[in-house]
Amino acid sequence: MPTEATFFLAGLFVVAAAAGWAFAHFSGYGDEGPPPPPVNADYLRGLNLVLNRQTDEALELFVRMAKVDDETLETHFALGHLFRRRGEIDRAIRVHQNLLARPNLAEAQRDQALSALAQDYLSAGLFDRAEKLFSDLRGSSTLAREALENLVDIFERESDWNKAIEAHRALEVLTGKKSSQVAHYYCELAERSRLSGDLDQARQYLKSSVRSETGAFRGKLIRAAIAQEDQDYAQAIRLYEQVLETDQRLMVDILPELVTCYQHANRERELEQYLQTLMTRDAAVKAALAYAVIRNGLLEPRILMECVEEFIETHAVLAGLVDTERLGTLPHDDRERAISKVVEALQRLAQSGVRYRCTSCGYGSQRLVWHCPSCKAWESLRPIQALQLDSLVA
Ligand SMILES: [Zn+2]
Protein backbone atom coordinates (compact mmCIF):
# COMPACT_ATOMS: atom_id res chain seq x y z
CA MET A 1 0.00 0.00 0.00
CA PRO A 2 1.41 3.39 -0.89
CA THR A 3 2.06 5.41 2.23
CA GLU A 4 3.53 8.78 3.03
CA ALA A 5 6.64 6.96 4.19
CA THR A 6 7.20 5.18 0.90
CA PHE A 7 6.76 8.36 -1.12
CA PHE A 8 9.14 10.07 1.22
CA LEU A 9 11.58 7.19 0.83
CA ALA A 10 11.28 7.34 -2.95
CA GLY A 11 12.03 11.03 -2.72
CA LEU A 12 15.09 10.32 -0.61
CA PHE A 13 16.39 7.86 -3.18
CA VAL A 14 16.11 10.44 -5.91
CA VAL A 15 17.63 13.20 -3.79
CA ALA A 16 20.49 10.89 -2.84
CA ALA A 17 21.01 9.90 -6.47
CA ALA A 18 20.91 13.50 -7.60
CA ALA A 19 23.29 14.61 -4.86
CA GLY A 20 25.66 11.72 -5.66
CA TRP A 21 25.48 12.53 -9.33
CA ALA A 22 26.13 16.21 -8.77
CA PHE A 23 28.97 15.46 -6.33
CA ALA A 24 30.59 13.04 -8.77
CA HIS A 25 30.46 15.59 -11.55
CA PHE A 26 31.45 18.67 -9.63
CA SER A 27 34.12 17.21 -7.34
CA GLY A 28 36.62 16.96 -10.22
CA TYR A 29 36.13 20.61 -11.11
CA GLY A 30 39.32 22.67 -10.68
CA ASP A 31 42.88 22.46 -11.85
CA GLU A 32 42.72 18.92 -13.19
CA GLY A 33 40.13 16.93 -15.13
CA PRO A 34 37.58 18.03 -17.69
CA PRO A 35 34.89 20.52 -16.79
CA PRO A 36 31.74 18.78 -15.42
CA PRO A 37 28.50 18.56 -17.37
CA PRO A 38 25.48 20.40 -15.95
CA VAL A 39 23.29 18.76 -13.24
CA ASN A 40 20.84 16.25 -14.71
CA ALA A 41 17.57 18.12 -14.37
CA ASP A 42 15.56 14.92 -15.04
CA TYR A 43 16.45 13.69 -11.53
CA LEU A 44 14.85 16.73 -9.94
CA ARG A 45 11.83 16.40 -12.20
CA GLY A 46 11.58 12.71 -11.22
CA LEU A 47 11.79 13.65 -7.56
CA ASN A 48 9.03 16.16 -8.00
CA LEU A 49 6.78 13.65 -9.79
CA VAL A 50 7.32 10.98 -7.11
CA LEU A 51 6.59 13.44 -4.34
CA ASN A 52 3.43 14.54 -6.15
CA ARG A 53 2.42 10.87 -6.45
CA GLN A 54 2.49 11.04 -10.24
CA THR A 55 4.00 7.55 -10.25
CA ASP A 56 3.26 6.75 -13.92
CA GLU A 57 4.93 9.92 -15.15
CA ALA A 58 7.88 9.34 -12.79
CA LEU A 59 8.24 5.78 -14.08
CA GLU A 60 8.23 6.94 -17.71
CA LEU A 61 10.88 9.50 -16.92
CA PHE A 62 13.18 7.06 -15.12
CA VAL A 63 12.77 4.43 -17.83
CA ARG A 64 13.85 7.03 -20.43
CA MET A 65 16.80 8.06 -18.27
CA ALA A 66 18.12 4.51 -18.02
CA LYS A 67 18.64 4.53 -21.75
CA VAL A 68 20.98 7.47 -21.62
CA ASP A 69 22.85 7.42 -18.33
CA ASP A 70 24.86 4.58 -16.75
CA GLU A 71 24.96 6.33 -13.42
CA THR A 72 21.21 6.00 -12.94
CA LEU A 73 21.47 2.21 -12.58
CA GLU A 74 21.45 2.09 -8.78
CA THR A 75 18.54 4.52 -8.67
CA HIS A 76 16.63 2.22 -10.97
CA PHE A 77 17.31 -0.79 -8.76
CA ALA A 78 16.18 1.21 -5.72
CA LEU A 79 13.05 2.34 -7.56
CA GLY A 80 12.21 -1.18 -8.74
CA HIS A 81 12.64 -2.46 -5.19
CA LEU A 82 10.40 0.28 -3.89
CA PHE A 83 7.64 -0.48 -6.42
CA ARG A 84 7.80 -4.18 -5.47
CA ARG A 85 7.58 -3.42 -1.77
CA ARG A 86 4.55 -1.26 -2.40
CA GLY A 87 2.90 -4.13 -4.26
CA GLU A 88 3.15 -2.32 -7.62
CA ILE A 89 4.67 -5.42 -9.21
CA ASP A 90 3.87 -4.45 -12.83
CA ARG A 91 5.91 -1.27 -12.41
CA ALA A 92 8.78 -3.12 -10.71
CA ILE A 93 8.82 -5.64 -13.58
CA ARG A 94 8.87 -2.80 -16.10
CA VAL A 95 11.83 -1.11 -14.41
CA HIS A 96 13.83 -4.35 -14.26
CA GLN A 97 12.95 -5.50 -17.78
CA ASN A 98 14.01 -2.10 -19.02
CA LEU A 99 17.35 -2.48 -17.28
CA LEU A 100 17.88 -5.91 -18.82
CA ALA A 101 17.16 -4.51 -22.28
CA ARG A 102 20.13 -2.14 -22.00
CA PRO A 103 23.01 -3.10 -24.26
CA ASN A 104 26.51 -3.51 -22.78
CA LEU A 105 25.29 -4.21 -19.25
CA ALA A 106 28.15 -5.58 -17.12
CA GLU A 107 27.73 -9.22 -16.01
CA ALA A 108 27.26 -8.38 -12.30
CA GLN A 109 24.65 -5.75 -13.14
CA ARG A 110 22.85 -8.10 -15.51
CA ASP A 111 22.73 -10.78 -12.77
CA GLN A 112 21.45 -8.21 -10.27
CA ALA A 113 18.69 -7.16 -12.69
CA LEU A 114 17.77 -10.82 -13.40
CA SER A 115 17.57 -11.51 -9.67
CA ALA A 116 15.43 -8.42 -9.07
CA LEU A 117 13.08 -9.44 -11.90
CA ALA A 118 12.88 -12.98 -10.47
CA GLN A 119 11.92 -11.47 -7.10
CA ASP A 120 9.18 -9.48 -8.86
CA TYR A 121 7.81 -12.69 -10.38
CA LEU A 122 7.94 -14.36 -6.96
CA SER A 123 5.96 -11.50 -5.45
CA ALA A 124 3.42 -11.81 -8.26
CA GLY A 125 3.11 -15.58 -7.61
CA LEU A 126 4.56 -16.37 -11.06
CA PHE A 127 6.72 -19.19 -9.70
CA ASP A 128 7.56 -20.81 -13.06
CA ARG A 129 9.03 -17.56 -14.41
CA ALA A 130 10.92 -16.92 -11.16
CA GLU A 131 12.24 -20.50 -11.21
CA LYS A 132 13.53 -20.07 -14.78
CA LEU A 133 15.44 -16.87 -13.92
CA PHE A 134 16.88 -18.20 -10.64
CA SER A 135 17.97 -21.36 -12.50
CA ASP A 136 19.82 -19.15 -15.00
CA LEU A 137 21.55 -17.47 -12.04
CA ARG A 138 22.92 -20.70 -10.54
CA GLY A 139 26.14 -20.13 -12.46
CA SER A 140 26.44 -16.49 -11.36
CA SER A 141 29.72 -15.59 -9.67
CA THR A 142 27.95 -13.27 -7.20
CA LEU A 143 24.34 -14.47 -6.87
CA ALA A 144 24.50 -18.28 -7.07
CA ARG A 145 23.78 -18.72 -3.36
CA GLU A 146 20.83 -16.32 -3.39
CA ALA A 147 19.48 -18.05 -6.51
CA LEU A 148 19.69 -21.51 -4.90
CA GLU A 149 18.05 -20.29 -1.67
CA ASN A 150 15.18 -18.86 -3.70
CA LEU A 151 14.88 -22.06 -5.75
CA VAL A 152 14.68 -24.10 -2.53
CA ASP A 153 11.96 -21.74 -1.32
CA ILE A 154 9.99 -22.08 -4.58
CA PHE A 155 10.25 -25.89 -4.62
CA GLU A 156 9.13 -26.05 -0.97
CA ARG A 157 6.12 -23.86 -1.76
CA GLU A 158 5.24 -26.10 -4.69
CA SER A 159 5.92 -29.26 -2.64
CA ASP A 160 8.26 -30.33 -5.45
CA TRP A 161 10.46 -32.34 -3.07
CA ASN A 162 12.69 -33.98 -5.70
CA LYS A 163 13.73 -30.61 -7.07
CA ALA A 164 14.09 -29.27 -3.51
CA ILE A 165 16.50 -32.12 -2.69
CA GLU A 166 18.64 -31.34 -5.74
CA ALA A 167 18.73 -27.57 -5.11
CA HIS A 168 19.40 -27.96 -1.38
CA ARG A 169 22.25 -30.38 -2.00
CA ALA A 170 23.80 -27.87 -4.43
CA LEU A 171 23.40 -25.18 -1.76
CA GLU A 172 25.12 -27.42 0.80
CA VAL A 173 28.05 -27.92 -1.59
CA LEU A 174 28.28 -24.17 -2.14
CA THR A 175 28.10 -23.16 1.53
CA GLY A 176 29.71 -26.24 3.09
CA LYS A 177 26.81 -26.36 5.59
CA LYS A 178 24.52 -29.35 6.08
CA SER A 179 20.98 -29.10 7.42
CA SER A 180 18.14 -31.46 8.25
CA GLN A 181 15.95 -30.10 5.46
CA VAL A 182 16.89 -32.74 2.89
CA ALA A 183 15.83 -35.46 5.37
CA HIS A 184 12.46 -33.71 5.68
CA TYR A 185 12.08 -33.66 1.88
CA TYR A 186 12.61 -37.43 1.80
CA CYS A 187 10.10 -37.81 4.64
CA GLU A 188 7.59 -35.70 2.68
CA LEU A 189 8.09 -37.99 -0.34
CA ALA A 190 7.72 -41.05 1.91
CA GLU A 191 4.47 -39.69 3.42
CA ARG A 192 3.12 -38.99 -0.06
CA SER A 193 3.91 -42.54 -1.20
CA ARG A 194 2.44 -44.00 2.00
CA LEU A 195 -0.81 -42.07 1.54
CA SER A 196 -1.07 -43.20 -2.09
CA GLY A 197 -0.65 -46.82 -0.93
CA ASP A 198 2.86 -47.37 -2.35
CA LEU A 199 4.48 -48.62 0.88
CA ASP A 200 7.61 -50.05 -0.83
CA GLN A 201 8.39 -46.71 -2.42
CA ALA A 202 7.78 -45.02 0.96
CA ARG A 203 10.35 -47.34 2.59
CA GLN A 204 12.83 -46.52 -0.19
CA TYR A 205 12.55 -42.79 0.50
CA LEU A 206 12.93 -43.36 4.24
CA LYS A 207 16.24 -45.11 3.68
CA SER A 208 17.60 -41.83 2.31
CA SER A 209 16.25 -39.81 5.24
CA VAL A 210 17.83 -41.76 8.11
CA ARG A 211 21.26 -40.20 7.58
CA SER A 212 20.24 -37.27 9.78
CA GLU A 213 18.91 -37.31 13.35
CA THR A 214 15.76 -35.46 12.33
CA GLY A 215 15.16 -37.82 9.42
CA ALA A 216 15.65 -40.84 11.67
CA PHE A 217 13.17 -39.47 14.23
CA ARG A 218 10.48 -38.40 11.80
CA GLY A 219 11.19 -41.48 9.70
CA LYS A 220 10.37 -43.66 12.72
CA LEU A 221 6.89 -42.14 12.95
CA ILE A 222 6.27 -42.79 9.25
CA ARG A 223 7.67 -46.32 9.49
CA ALA A 224 5.38 -46.96 12.46
CA ALA A 225 2.37 -45.81 10.41
CA ILE A 226 3.49 -48.04 7.52
CA ALA A 227 3.88 -51.02 9.87
CA GLN A 228 0.41 -50.32 11.28
CA GLU A 229 -1.07 -50.31 7.76
CA ASP A 230 0.80 -53.53 7.05
CA GLN A 231 -0.77 -54.97 10.24
CA ASP A 232 2.74 -55.53 11.60
CA TYR A 233 1.64 -54.33 15.03
CA ALA A 234 4.71 -55.58 16.91
CA GLN A 235 6.94 -53.41 14.71
CA ALA A 236 4.53 -50.43 14.99
CA ILE A 237 4.46 -50.70 18.81
CA ARG A 238 8.25 -50.91 18.97
CA LEU A 239 8.67 -47.81 16.80
CA TYR A 240 5.98 -45.73 18.56
CA GLU A 241 7.55 -46.51 21.93
CA GLN A 242 10.98 -45.54 20.64
CA VAL A 243 9.60 -42.18 19.49
CA LEU A 244 8.01 -41.60 22.91
CA GLU A 245 11.35 -42.38 24.59
CA THR A 246 12.90 -39.55 22.57
CA ASP A 247 10.08 -37.03 22.86
CA GLN A 248 7.07 -37.64 25.10
CA ARG A 249 5.49 -34.41 23.86
CA LEU A 250 4.16 -36.39 20.90
CA MET A 251 2.16 -38.53 23.36
CA VAL A 252 -1.09 -36.77 22.41
CA ASP A 253 -0.84 -38.13 18.84
CA ILE A 254 0.89 -41.42 19.52
CA LEU A 255 -1.12 -42.74 22.48
CA PRO A 256 -4.33 -43.56 20.54
CA GLU A 257 -2.29 -45.32 17.81
CA LEU A 258 -0.33 -47.26 20.41
CA VAL A 259 -3.49 -48.39 22.21
CA THR A 260 -5.03 -49.47 18.87
CA CYS A 261 -1.92 -51.47 17.93
CA TYR A 262 -1.78 -53.27 21.30
CA GLN A 263 -5.50 -54.09 21.03
CA HIS A 264 -5.19 -55.42 17.46
CA ALA A 265 -2.24 -57.56 18.57
CA ASN A 266 -4.31 -58.87 21.53
CA ARG A 267 -1.61 -57.65 23.91
CA GLU A 268 -3.82 -55.68 26.35
CA ARG A 269 -1.97 -56.98 29.42
CA GLU A 270 1.38 -55.76 28.04
CA LEU A 271 -0.23 -52.40 27.26
CA GLU A 272 -1.30 -52.06 30.91
CA GLN A 273 2.25 -52.89 31.98
CA TYR A 274 3.69 -50.33 29.60
CA LEU A 275 1.29 -47.61 30.80
CA GLN A 276 2.03 -48.56 34.41
CA THR A 277 5.74 -48.01 33.69
CA LEU A 278 4.96 -44.60 32.17
CA MET A 279 3.03 -43.62 35.31
CA THR A 280 6.03 -44.31 37.50
CA ARG A 281 8.14 -41.89 35.45
CA ASP A 282 8.66 -38.19 36.20
CA ALA A 283 5.92 -35.56 36.45
CA ALA A 284 6.40 -34.36 32.83
CA VAL A 285 5.70 -37.83 31.41
CA LYS A 286 2.66 -38.26 33.68
CA ALA A 287 1.30 -34.84 32.66
CA ALA A 288 1.84 -35.65 28.96
CA LEU A 289 0.01 -38.95 29.44
CA ALA A 290 -2.91 -37.33 31.28
CA TYR A 291 -3.20 -34.61 28.63
CA ALA A 292 -3.16 -37.23 25.85
CA VAL A 293 -5.94 -39.14 27.65
CA ILE A 294 -8.06 -36.00 28.11
CA ARG A 295 -7.49 -34.64 24.62
CA ASN A 296 -8.42 -37.97 23.01
CA GLY A 297 -11.13 -38.89 25.54
CA LEU A 298 -9.32 -42.20 25.91
CA LEU A 299 -10.45 -43.98 29.11
CA GLU A 300 -9.68 -47.57 28.13
CA PRO A 301 -7.77 -49.41 29.49
CA ARG A 302 -8.84 -48.53 33.03
CA ILE A 303 -5.34 -47.55 34.07
CA LEU A 304 -5.74 -44.41 31.95
CA MET A 305 -8.65 -43.39 34.18
CA GLU A 306 -6.39 -43.73 37.22
CA CYS A 307 -3.88 -41.54 35.45
CA VAL A 308 -6.47 -38.78 34.96
CA GLU A 309 -7.72 -39.15 38.54
CA GLU A 310 -4.20 -38.59 39.84
CA PHE A 311 -3.78 -35.64 37.47
CA ILE A 312 -6.99 -34.01 38.77
CA GLU A 313 -6.05 -34.63 42.43
CA THR A 314 -2.65 -33.01 42.05
CA HIS A 315 -3.77 -30.11 39.83
CA ALA A 316 -3.97 -26.86 41.78
CA VAL A 317 -7.14 -25.56 40.07
CA LEU A 318 -8.89 -28.78 39.05
CA ALA A 319 -8.66 -30.35 42.53
CA GLY A 320 -10.77 -27.52 43.95
CA LEU A 321 -13.25 -27.46 41.08
CA VAL A 322 -13.92 -31.17 41.09
CA ASP A 323 -14.00 -31.56 44.92
CA THR A 324 -11.55 -34.46 45.02
CA GLU A 325 -12.21 -35.09 48.72
CA ARG A 326 -15.82 -36.01 47.98
CA LEU A 327 -14.74 -37.91 44.86
CA GLY A 328 -12.60 -40.19 47.06
CA THR A 329 -15.62 -41.17 49.19
CA LEU A 330 -17.81 -42.25 46.22
CA PRO A 331 -18.40 -45.94 45.44
CA HIS A 332 -16.14 -47.27 42.65
CA ASP A 333 -18.66 -47.11 39.78
CA ASP A 334 -19.93 -43.65 40.74
CA ARG A 335 -16.36 -42.38 40.94
CA GLU A 336 -15.56 -43.67 37.44
CA ARG A 337 -18.75 -42.06 36.08
CA ALA A 338 -17.78 -38.78 37.73
CA ILE A 339 -14.25 -38.90 36.27
CA SER A 340 -15.63 -39.72 32.81
CA LYS A 341 -17.80 -36.59 33.01
CA VAL A 342 -14.84 -34.47 34.07
CA VAL A 343 -12.77 -35.88 31.19
CA GLU A 344 -15.62 -35.15 28.77
CA ALA A 345 -15.74 -31.53 29.93
CA LEU A 346 -11.98 -31.14 29.83
CA GLN A 347 -11.85 -32.73 26.37
CA ARG A 348 -14.31 -30.14 25.04
CA LEU A 349 -12.18 -27.45 26.63
CA ALA A 350 -8.96 -28.85 25.13
CA GLN A 351 -10.53 -29.26 21.69
CA SER A 352 -11.65 -25.64 21.61
CA GLY A 353 -7.99 -24.67 21.24
CA VAL A 354 -5.35 -25.61 18.66
CA ARG A 355 -3.22 -28.72 19.12
CA TYR A 356 0.09 -27.34 17.90
CA ARG A 357 1.59 -23.89 17.81
CA CYS A 358 4.55 -22.56 15.84
CA THR A 359 7.25 -21.31 18.22
CA SER A 360 8.51 -19.04 15.48
CA CYS A 361 5.37 -17.19 14.29
CA GLY A 362 2.50 -18.38 16.52
CA TYR A 363 0.61 -20.23 13.75
CA GLY A 364 -1.84 -22.75 15.25
CA SER A 365 -2.66 -26.15 13.78
CA GLN A 366 -4.91 -29.08 14.71
CA ARG A 367 -2.42 -31.60 13.34
CA LEU A 368 1.31 -32.13 13.53
CA VAL A 369 2.98 -30.45 10.57
CA TRP A 370 6.74 -30.30 10.17
CA HIS A 371 6.84 -27.28 7.88
CA CYS A 372 5.03 -24.19 9.16
CA PRO A 373 2.62 -23.06 6.39
CA SER A 374 2.85 -19.51 7.68
CA CYS A 375 6.52 -18.71 8.33
CA LYS A 376 7.98 -21.70 6.39
CA ALA A 377 10.18 -22.75 9.32
CA TRP A 378 10.90 -26.48 9.72
CA GLU A 379 10.16 -28.32 12.98
CA SER A 380 8.88 -25.17 14.67
CA LEU A 381 5.42 -26.48 15.65
CA ARG A 382 5.21 -27.78 19.21
CA PRO A 383 2.26 -29.57 20.82
CA ILE A 384 0.30 -27.56 23.36
CA GLN A 385 0.17 -29.61 26.54
CA ALA A 386 -1.51 -27.34 29.03
CA LEU A 387 -5.25 -27.01 29.46
CA GLN A 388 -6.44 -23.45 29.15
CA LEU A 389 -8.45 -23.45 32.36
CA ASP A 390 -9.23 -19.73 32.46
CA SER A 391 -12.59 -20.10 30.71
CA LEU A 392 -13.50 -23.08 32.88
CA VAL A 393 -12.70 -21.14 36.03
CA ALA A 394 -14.69 -18.16 34.76
ZN1 LIG B 1 5.55 -20.43 11.81
Side-chain angles (χ1 to χ4, degrees), residues 77 84 96 100 107-123 129-130 133-134 136-137 140 142-148 150:
F77 279 121
R84 190 194 314 133
H96 294 131
L100 281 166
E107 191 188 321
Q109 292 166 339
R110 186 188 150 275
D111 287 356
Q112 193 185 347
L114 274 176
S115 176
L117 185 59
Q119 292 288 355
D120 298 337
Y121 287 145
L122 261 192
S123 300
R129 290 192 199 182
L133 292 185
F134 283 129
D136 290 346
L137 283 168
S140 163
T142 49
L143 295 172
R145 179 181 175 156
E146 188 190 307
L148 281 168
N150 276 292

Side-chain angles (χ1 to χ4, degrees), residues 358 360-363 372 374-376 380:
C358 175
S360 170
C361 73
Y363 173 84
C372 177
S374 172
C375 72
K376 310 293 172 202
S380 59

Side-chain angles (χ1 to χ4, degrees), residues 217 220-221 223-225 233-251 254-255 257-259 261-263 267-278 281 285:
F217 180 72
K220 253 180 208 164
L221 268 177
R223 291 215 319 275
Y233 298 115
Q235 167 79 338
I237 289 169
R238 195 174 61 79
L239 290 164
Y240 281 134
E241 289 182 359
Q242 280 177 13
V243 171
L244 284 183
E245 276 307 307
T246 316
D247 192 346
Q248 79 267 355
R249 288 174 305 179
L250 294 180
M251 187 84 79
I254 293 180
L255 187 66
E257 304 304 329
L258 200 53
V259 170
C261 288
Y262 269 112
Q263 284 168 345
R267 288 167 56 186
E268 278 92 348
R269 180 171 286 232
E270 280 173 73
L271 171 62
E272 292 227 10
Q273 282 167 355
Y274 174 70
L275 294 171
Q276 191 79 56
T277 319
L278 284 184
R281 301 272 289 279
V285 176

